[in-house]
Amino acid sequence: MSILETERTVVGWAATDPSGILAPYTYTLRNTGAEDVFVKVLYCGICHSDLHQIKNDLGMSQYPMVPGHEVVGEVVEVGSEVTKFKAGDVVGVGLIVGSCGSCHPCESDAEQYCNKKIWNYNDVYTDGKPTQGGFAESMVVHQKFVVKIPDGLDLEQAAPLLCAGVTVYSPLNHFGLKQSGLKGGILGLGGVGHMGVLIAKSLGHHVTVISSSDKKRVEALEHLGADDYLVSSDETRMAEVADSLDYIIDTIPVGHPLEPYLSLLKLDGKLILTGVINTPLQFMTPVVMIGRKVITGTFIGSMRETQETIDFCKEKGLSSMIEVVKMDYINKAFKRLEKNDVRYRFVVDVAGSKLDQ
Protein backbone atom coordinates (compact mmCIF):
# COMPACT_ATOMS: atom_id res chain seq x y z
CA MET A 1 0.00 0.00 0.00
CA SER A 2 1.50 3.39 -0.99
CA ILE A 3 1.70 6.39 1.28
CA LEU A 4 -0.97 8.05 -0.88
CA GLU A 5 -3.55 5.42 0.07
CA THR A 6 -3.19 5.74 3.82
CA GLU A 7 -4.23 8.40 6.28
CA ARG A 8 -1.26 9.92 8.05
CA THR A 9 -1.28 10.83 11.72
CA VAL A 10 0.46 14.14 12.43
CA VAL A 11 1.13 16.40 15.39
CA GLY A 12 0.26 20.08 15.31
CA TRP A 13 -0.24 22.80 17.88
CA ALA A 14 -3.92 23.59 18.34
CA ALA A 15 -6.14 25.99 20.24
CA THR A 16 -9.01 24.19 21.95
CA ASP A 17 -11.04 27.17 23.22
CA PRO A 18 -11.20 30.99 22.91
CA SER A 19 -8.35 31.42 25.38
CA GLY A 20 -6.24 30.87 22.30
CA ILE A 21 -3.62 28.81 24.11
CA LEU A 22 -1.96 26.36 21.73
CA ALA A 23 -0.79 22.88 22.78
CA PRO A 24 0.23 19.67 20.97
CA TYR A 25 -2.65 17.94 19.19
CA THR A 26 -2.61 14.70 17.20
CA TYR A 27 -4.93 14.27 14.21
CA THR A 28 -5.11 12.61 10.80
CA LEU A 29 -4.64 14.35 7.49
CA ARG A 30 -7.17 13.77 4.74
CA ASN A 31 -6.33 11.17 2.12
CA THR A 32 -4.08 12.47 -0.64
CA GLY A 33 -5.94 12.75 -3.94
CA ALA A 34 -4.67 12.56 -7.49
CA GLU A 35 -4.03 16.32 -7.68
CA ASP A 36 -2.80 16.74 -4.11
CA VAL A 37 0.66 17.50 -2.78
CA PHE A 38 1.89 16.08 0.53
CA VAL A 39 4.06 18.78 2.15
CA LYS A 40 6.42 18.56 5.12
CA VAL A 41 6.19 21.92 6.91
CA LEU A 42 9.51 23.71 7.42
CA TYR A 43 8.49 27.23 8.48
CA CYS A 44 5.22 29.03 9.17
CA GLY A 45 4.65 32.73 9.78
CA ILE A 46 2.34 34.12 12.46
CA CYS A 47 -0.30 36.54 11.16
CA HIS A 48 -2.59 38.85 13.11
CA SER A 49 -5.60 37.08 11.63
CA ASP A 50 -4.37 33.88 13.33
CA LEU A 51 -4.84 35.76 16.60
CA HIS A 52 -8.40 36.70 15.63
CA GLN A 53 -9.19 33.07 14.84
CA ILE A 54 -7.71 31.33 17.88
CA LYS A 55 -9.53 33.78 20.17
CA ASN A 56 -12.83 33.56 18.25
CA ASP A 57 -12.85 37.34 17.73
CA LEU A 58 -14.96 36.90 14.60
CA GLY A 59 -17.39 34.43 16.21
CA MET A 60 -16.72 31.64 13.71
CA SER A 61 -13.97 29.59 15.31
CA GLN A 62 -14.19 25.80 15.48
CA TYR A 63 -11.96 23.89 17.88
CA PRO A 64 -9.56 22.15 18.04
CA MET A 65 -7.87 24.52 15.59
CA VAL A 66 -4.33 24.31 14.23
CA PRO A 67 -3.67 27.81 12.83
CA GLY A 68 -0.92 29.00 10.51
CA HIS A 69 -1.30 30.08 6.89
CA GLU A 70 2.13 31.35 5.85
CA VAL A 71 3.52 27.88 5.22
CA VAL A 72 6.83 27.01 3.61
CA GLY A 73 7.53 23.33 3.16
CA GLU A 74 9.11 20.58 1.12
CA VAL A 75 7.15 18.31 -1.20
CA VAL A 76 7.41 14.72 0.03
CA GLU A 77 5.10 13.03 -2.44
CA VAL A 78 2.59 14.02 -5.12
CA GLY A 79 -0.61 12.54 -6.49
CA SER A 80 -0.73 10.78 -9.84
CA GLU A 81 -2.14 13.79 -11.72
CA VAL A 82 0.11 16.47 -10.20
CA THR A 83 2.03 18.26 -12.95
CA LYS A 84 3.35 21.40 -11.23
CA PHE A 85 5.48 19.84 -8.47
CA LYS A 86 7.71 16.90 -7.68
CA ALA A 87 9.24 15.45 -4.52
CA GLY A 88 11.97 17.69 -3.16
CA ASP A 89 10.47 20.97 -4.41
CA VAL A 90 10.27 23.79 -1.88
CA VAL A 91 6.79 25.29 -1.91
CA GLY A 92 4.46 27.71 -0.18
CA VAL A 93 0.86 27.38 1.00
CA GLY A 94 -1.26 30.38 1.93
CA LEU A 95 -4.69 31.10 3.40
CA ILE A 96 -6.83 29.43 0.71
CA VAL A 97 -6.64 25.71 -0.10
CA GLY A 98 -9.76 25.25 -2.21
CA SER A 99 -12.43 26.96 -4.33
CA CYS A 100 -15.29 25.93 -6.61
CA GLY A 101 -13.30 26.51 -9.80
CA SER A 102 -16.28 27.58 -11.90
CA CYS A 103 -17.66 30.88 -10.55
CA HIS A 104 -16.78 34.32 -11.92
CA PRO A 105 -13.98 34.98 -9.38
CA CYS A 106 -12.45 31.54 -9.99
CA GLU A 107 -12.56 32.00 -13.75
CA SER A 108 -11.11 35.52 -13.38
CA ASP A 109 -7.93 34.52 -11.55
CA ALA A 110 -9.44 35.80 -8.30
CA GLU A 111 -10.28 32.57 -6.49
CA GLN A 112 -9.78 34.26 -3.11
CA TYR A 113 -13.18 35.89 -3.68
CA CYS A 114 -14.98 32.61 -4.41
CA ASN A 115 -17.99 32.18 -2.13
CA LYS A 116 -17.08 28.51 -1.73
CA LYS A 117 -13.39 29.02 -0.98
CA ILE A 118 -11.89 26.69 1.60
CA TRP A 119 -9.71 28.18 4.30
CA ASN A 120 -6.34 26.67 5.14
CA TYR A 121 -7.70 26.04 8.66
CA ASN A 122 -10.93 26.48 10.64
CA ASP A 123 -12.91 25.13 7.71
CA VAL A 124 -14.13 21.83 6.27
CA TYR A 125 -12.66 20.25 3.14
CA THR A 126 -14.77 18.70 0.37
CA ASP A 127 -14.34 15.26 1.96
CA GLY A 128 -15.83 16.50 5.24
CA LYS A 129 -12.57 16.57 7.22
CA PRO A 130 -11.66 19.74 9.12
CA THR A 131 -8.83 21.73 7.57
CA GLN A 132 -5.82 22.38 9.79
CA GLY A 133 -3.00 24.84 9.23
CA GLY A 134 0.75 25.10 9.16
CA PHE A 135 1.76 24.84 12.80
CA ALA A 136 2.04 21.12 12.23
CA GLU A 137 4.36 18.47 10.82
CA SER A 138 2.73 18.29 7.41
CA MET A 139 -0.23 19.20 5.19
CA VAL A 140 -2.07 17.85 2.15
CA VAL A 141 -2.93 20.56 -0.38
CA HIS A 142 -4.36 20.62 -3.92
CA GLN A 143 -1.67 21.59 -6.41
CA LYS A 144 -3.60 24.70 -7.55
CA PHE A 145 -3.13 26.22 -4.10
CA VAL A 146 0.60 25.60 -3.85
CA VAL A 147 3.28 27.98 -5.14
CA LYS A 148 6.96 27.47 -5.90
CA ILE A 149 9.63 29.04 -3.71
CA PRO A 150 12.51 29.99 -6.03
CA ASP A 151 16.07 28.91 -5.39
CA GLY A 152 18.08 31.45 -3.45
CA LEU A 153 15.21 32.85 -1.38
CA ASP A 154 15.75 32.15 2.32
CA LEU A 155 12.91 29.89 3.40
CA GLU A 156 12.13 31.73 6.61
CA GLN A 157 12.00 34.94 4.54
CA ALA A 158 9.50 33.39 2.15
CA ALA A 159 6.88 32.69 4.83
CA PRO A 160 5.61 36.29 5.34
CA LEU A 161 5.26 36.76 1.58
CA LEU A 162 2.45 34.18 1.47
CA CYS A 163 0.07 36.49 3.34
CA ALA A 164 1.63 39.81 4.39
CA GLY A 165 3.51 40.23 1.12
CA VAL A 166 0.71 39.36 -1.27
CA THR A 167 -1.80 41.36 0.82
CA VAL A 168 0.14 44.48 -0.22
CA TYR A 169 1.16 43.39 -3.71
CA SER A 170 -2.39 42.46 -4.78
CA PRO A 171 -4.03 45.92 -4.41
CA LEU A 172 -1.05 47.66 -6.01
CA ASN A 173 -1.30 45.21 -8.90
CA HIS A 174 -5.08 45.23 -9.25
CA PHE A 175 -5.62 48.99 -9.01
CA GLY A 176 -2.84 49.89 -11.45
CA LEU A 177 -0.54 51.29 -8.79
CA LYS A 178 2.72 49.63 -9.84
CA GLN A 179 4.17 52.43 -11.98
CA SER A 180 7.07 54.38 -10.52
CA GLY A 181 6.69 57.92 -9.24
CA LEU A 182 3.49 57.45 -7.24
CA LYS A 183 3.09 58.75 -3.71
CA GLY A 184 1.76 56.16 -1.31
CA GLY A 185 0.96 55.90 2.37
CA ILE A 186 1.30 52.85 4.58
CA LEU A 187 -0.99 53.11 7.59
CA GLY A 188 0.27 50.96 10.45
CA LEU A 189 3.76 49.46 10.59
CA GLY A 190 3.20 45.84 11.52
CA GLY A 191 3.74 42.65 9.53
CA VAL A 192 1.72 43.77 6.50
CA GLY A 193 2.76 47.42 6.79
CA HIS A 194 6.48 46.76 6.77
CA MET A 195 6.08 44.59 3.66
CA GLY A 196 4.11 47.47 2.16
CA VAL A 197 7.02 49.85 2.62
CA LEU A 198 9.50 47.41 1.08
CA ILE A 199 7.35 46.53 -1.93
CA ALA A 200 6.21 50.11 -2.64
CA LYS A 201 9.78 51.41 -2.44
CA SER A 202 10.91 48.68 -4.83
CA LEU A 203 8.28 49.91 -7.31
CA GLY A 204 9.81 53.40 -7.17
CA HIS A 205 7.14 55.03 -4.99
CA HIS A 206 7.57 57.88 -2.52
CA VAL A 207 6.40 56.16 0.67
CA THR A 208 5.01 57.80 3.79
CA VAL A 209 4.48 55.69 6.91
CA ILE A 210 1.54 56.85 9.01
CA SER A 211 1.45 55.76 12.64
CA SER A 212 -0.23 56.65 15.91
CA SER A 213 3.08 57.29 17.69
CA ASP A 214 6.66 58.29 17.01
CA LYS A 215 8.22 55.07 18.31
CA LYS A 216 8.83 53.44 14.91
CA ARG A 217 10.16 56.53 13.12
CA VAL A 218 13.81 55.44 13.02
CA GLU A 219 12.97 51.94 11.86
CA ALA A 220 10.62 53.21 9.15
CA LEU A 221 13.02 55.79 7.74
CA GLU A 222 16.43 54.21 8.31
CA HIS A 223 15.82 50.45 8.32
CA LEU A 224 12.94 50.11 5.86
CA GLY A 225 13.74 53.11 3.67
CA ALA A 226 10.49 55.07 3.93
CA ASP A 227 10.65 58.66 2.67
CA ASP A 228 8.48 60.30 5.32
CA TYR A 229 6.87 59.50 8.66
CA LEU A 230 3.60 60.97 9.89
CA VAL A 231 2.18 60.77 13.40
CA SER A 232 -1.57 60.89 12.90
CA SER A 233 -2.15 63.14 15.94
CA ASP A 234 0.27 65.80 14.60
CA GLU A 235 -2.31 68.07 12.99
CA THR A 236 0.28 70.43 11.51
CA ARG A 237 2.15 67.69 9.67
CA MET A 238 -1.07 65.96 8.63
CA ALA A 239 -2.25 69.25 7.11
CA GLU A 240 1.04 69.60 5.23
CA VAL A 241 0.56 66.21 3.57
CA ALA A 242 -3.16 66.72 2.81
CA ASP A 243 -4.30 66.06 -0.78
CA SER A 244 -0.95 64.59 -1.83
CA LEU A 245 -1.13 60.78 -1.76
CA ASP A 246 -2.22 58.54 -4.64
CA TYR A 247 -3.12 55.71 -2.28
CA ILE A 248 -3.02 54.58 1.33
CA ILE A 249 -2.80 50.92 2.26
CA ASP A 250 -4.58 50.70 5.63
CA THR A 251 -3.20 47.69 7.52
CA ILE A 252 -4.61 48.47 10.96
CA PRO A 253 -6.49 45.41 12.32
CA VAL A 254 -8.59 47.28 14.92
CA GLY A 255 -11.29 49.94 14.72
CA HIS A 256 -10.05 53.45 13.88
CA PRO A 257 -11.35 56.69 12.31
CA LEU A 258 -10.97 57.02 8.55
CA GLU A 259 -11.38 60.77 8.06
CA PRO A 260 -7.84 61.85 9.02
CA TYR A 261 -6.40 59.53 6.41
CA LEU A 262 -8.92 60.23 3.68
CA SER A 263 -7.87 63.88 3.89
CA LEU A 264 -4.35 62.89 2.83
CA LEU A 265 -5.51 61.52 -0.53
CA LYS A 266 -5.41 63.56 -3.72
CA LEU A 267 -8.17 63.60 -6.35
CA ASP A 268 -9.22 59.99 -7.12
CA GLY A 269 -6.95 58.68 -4.36
CA LYS A 270 -7.70 55.28 -2.89
CA LEU A 271 -7.86 54.16 0.73
CA ILE A 272 -7.36 50.39 0.57
CA LEU A 273 -8.43 48.42 3.63
CA THR A 274 -6.46 45.23 4.35
CA GLY A 275 -6.89 44.78 8.12
CA VAL A 276 -9.55 42.41 9.46
CA ILE A 277 -11.77 44.43 11.81
CA ASN A 278 -14.85 43.16 13.64
CA THR A 279 -16.35 46.59 14.45
CA PRO A 280 -17.93 49.13 12.04
CA LEU A 281 -15.81 51.94 10.63
CA GLN A 282 -17.25 55.44 10.17
CA PHE A 283 -16.63 58.49 8.02
CA MET A 284 -18.48 61.61 6.86
CA THR A 285 -19.43 61.45 3.19
CA PRO A 286 -18.11 64.92 2.12
CA VAL A 287 -14.52 63.87 2.80
CA VAL A 288 -14.99 61.20 0.11
CA MET A 289 -17.20 63.18 -2.25
CA ILE A 290 -14.99 66.25 -2.38
CA GLY A 291 -12.05 64.65 -4.10
CA ARG A 292 -13.84 61.68 -5.68
CA LYS A 293 -11.96 59.44 -3.29
CA VAL A 294 -12.37 55.69 -3.05
CA ILE A 295 -12.62 53.49 0.00
CA THR A 296 -12.03 49.92 -1.04
CA GLY A 297 -10.47 46.75 0.25
CA THR A 298 -8.71 43.67 -0.99
CA PHE A 299 -8.27 40.23 0.48
CA ILE A 300 -4.87 38.54 0.31
CA GLY A 301 -4.31 37.83 -3.41
CA SER A 302 -4.85 35.22 -6.08
CA MET A 303 -2.56 32.24 -6.49
CA ARG A 304 -1.08 33.95 -9.55
CA GLU A 305 -0.43 37.12 -7.53
CA THR A 306 1.06 35.06 -4.70
CA GLN A 307 3.59 33.54 -7.09
CA GLU A 308 4.25 36.99 -8.58
CA THR A 309 4.87 38.41 -5.10
CA ILE A 310 7.42 35.74 -4.27
CA ASP A 311 9.18 36.11 -7.61
CA PHE A 312 9.16 39.92 -7.33
CA CYS A 313 10.70 39.87 -3.85
CA LYS A 314 13.35 37.39 -4.99
CA GLU A 315 14.17 39.55 -8.03
CA LYS A 316 14.38 42.73 -5.95
CA GLY A 317 16.30 41.08 -3.11
CA LEU A 318 13.74 42.12 -0.52
CA SER A 319 14.18 40.83 3.02
CA SER A 320 11.35 41.13 5.50
CA MET A 321 12.25 41.82 9.12
CA ILE A 322 11.42 38.66 11.05
CA GLU A 323 11.99 37.00 14.39
CA VAL A 324 12.40 33.23 14.10
CA VAL A 325 11.12 31.21 17.08
CA LYS A 326 10.53 27.58 17.94
CA MET A 327 7.06 26.11 18.50
CA ASP A 328 7.43 26.06 22.28
CA TYR A 329 7.53 29.88 22.15
CA ILE A 330 4.35 30.26 20.10
CA ASN A 331 2.01 31.23 22.96
CA LYS A 332 4.44 33.94 24.06
CA ALA A 333 4.70 35.06 20.45
CA PHE A 334 0.92 35.47 20.20
CA LYS A 335 0.89 37.50 23.43
CA ARG A 336 3.61 39.75 22.06
CA LEU A 337 1.79 40.09 18.74
CA GLU A 338 -1.33 41.17 20.63
CA LYS A 339 0.75 43.96 22.17
CA ASN A 340 2.29 44.84 18.79
CA ASP A 341 5.66 43.78 20.21
CA VAL A 342 7.32 42.24 17.15
CA ARG A 343 9.58 43.64 14.43
CA TYR A 344 7.74 42.78 12.21
CA ARG A 345 6.77 39.15 11.73
CA PHE A 346 7.22 36.02 13.83
CA VAL A 347 8.18 32.94 11.83
CA VAL A 348 8.08 29.54 13.53
CA ASP A 349 10.85 27.07 12.71
CA VAL A 350 8.42 24.16 12.61
CA ALA A 351 10.81 21.50 11.30
CA GLY A 352 13.37 22.47 13.93
CA SER A 353 10.88 22.19 16.80
CA LYS A 354 9.79 19.25 18.93
CA LEU A 355 6.06 19.32 18.30
CA ASP A 356 4.93 16.52 20.60
CA GLN A 357 5.99 18.08 23.89
Side-chain angles (χ1 to χ4, degrees):
M1 182 177 288
S2 80
I3 193 171
L4 295 179
E5 296 170 340
T6 61
E7 284 193 343
R8 286 168 294 265
T9 300
V10 298
V11 178
W13 277 50
T16 55
D17 59 52
S19 71
I21 302 297
L22 272 62
Y25 168 63
T26 300
Y27 58 101
T28 56
L29 295 176
R30 63 182 177 81
N31 288 326
T32 309
E35 287 196 70
D36 287 332
V37 178
F38 175 47
V39 178
K40 175 188 175 183
V41 178
L42 302 176
Y43 292 94
C44 187
I46 300 179
C47 179
H48 205 280
S49 59
D50 294 325
L51 190 59
H52 280 309
Q53 292 286 5
I54 61 175
K55 290 185 169 291
N56 196 28
D57 288 344
L58 305 177
M60 301 181 293
S61 297
Q62 300 290 321
Y63 303 100
M65 177 201 304
V66 178
H69 61 267
E70 295 181 336
V71 185
V72 174
E74 180 182 348
V75 176
V76 176
E77 195 158 331
V78 300
S80 59
E81 296 178 20
V82 170
T83 57
K84 293 173 61 180
F85 306 99
K86 63 183 185 306
D89 285 350
V90 180
V91 297
V93 179
L95 185 56
I96 304 300
V97 296
S99 68
C100 77
S102 58
C103 65
H104 175 62
C106 284
E107 292 181 344
S108 305
D109 242 354
E111 60 281 333
Q112 73 272 33
Y113 300 112
C114 173
N115 288 330
K116 295 181 180 179
K117 60 182 167 289
I118 300 172
W119 305 98
N120 162 302
Y121 67 87
N122 195 36
D123 205 349
V124 177
Y125 204 71
T126 52
D127 64 356
K129 284 187 75 72
T131 59
Q132 301 290 7
F135 297 132
E137 293 171 313
S138 53
M139 301 178 71
V140 176
V141 187
H142 190 285
Q143 65 172 343
K144 176 177 172 58
F145 297 91
V146 179
V147 294
K148 289 186 176 179
I149 306 298
D151 292 341
L153 183 62
D154 291 341
L155 303 190
E156 64 271 26
Q157 286 285 343
L161 306 182
L162 295 159
C163 178
V166 71
T167 292
V168 173
Y169 180 89
S170 178
L172 295 174
N173 179 61
H174 176 75
F175 292 115
L177 299 170
K178 289 169 69 177
Q179 68 268 35
S180 63
L182 296 179
K183 287 190 172 183
I186 303 296
L187 178 53
L189 196 60
V192 176
H194 101 284
M195 286 304 311
V197 176
L198 294 172
I199 290 174
K201 284 296 295 180
S202 291
L203 290 168
H205 296 181
H206 179 284
V207 178
T208 298
V209 170
I210 311 159
S211 186
S212 59
S213 77
D214 216 31
K215 66 181 182 180
K216 296 181 181 179
R217 179 183 295 271
V218 172
E219 291 170 12
L221 297 176
E222 297 183 12
H223 300 170
L224 297 174
D227 300 286
D228 198 1
Y229 189 94
L230 271 182
V231 177
S232 54
S233 58
D234 185 340
E235 295 181 5
T236 301
R237 286 281 289 124
M238 290 285 282
E240 288 173 2
V241 182
D243 301 315
S244 70
L245 302 182
D246 294 287
Y247 67 86
I248 295 172
I249 296 180
D250 182 345
T251 74
I252 298 176
V254 294
H256 56 284
L258 298 184
E259 270 132 342
Y261 313 111
L262 288 165
S263 69
L264 303 177
L265 295 171
K266 62 170 64 168
L267 177 67
D268 292 324
K270 294 177 176 62
L271 177 68
I272 303 163
L273 302 172
T274 65
V276 176
I277 301 171
N278 60 356
T279 55
L281 299 180
Q282 293 183 318
F283 62 94
M284 301 288 281
T285 56
V287 76
V288 173
M289 296 161 58
I290 302 172
R292 204 165 56 198
K293 298 169 185 179
V294 176
I295 299 173
T296 186
T298 58
F299 174 63
I300 49 170
S302 67
M303 297 313 301
R304 177 180 55 79
E305 288 173 326
T306 304
Q307 187 70 65
E308 285 180 15
T309 301
I310 293 168
D311 294 342
F312 175 85
C313 290
K314 168 64 167 53
E315 175 193 341
K316 298 291 186 180
L318 299 187
S319 292
S320 51
M321 295 176 68
I322 60 174
E323 183 174 335
V324 179
V325 299
K326 294 290 201 289
M327 192 69 83
D328 59 7
Y329 190 80
I330 195 166
N331 289 309
K332 291 180 181 176
F334 272 117
K335 285 182 180 179
R336 285 179 53 193
L337 179 60
E338 202 166 17
K339 298 174 184 175
N340 198 23
D341 176 26
V342 55
R343 300 292 187 273
Y344 281 96
R345 201 66 152 188
F346 283 116
V347 175
V348 179
D349 177 4
V350 178
S353 301
K354 293 183 178 180
L355 300 188
D356 57 355
Q357 60 184 37

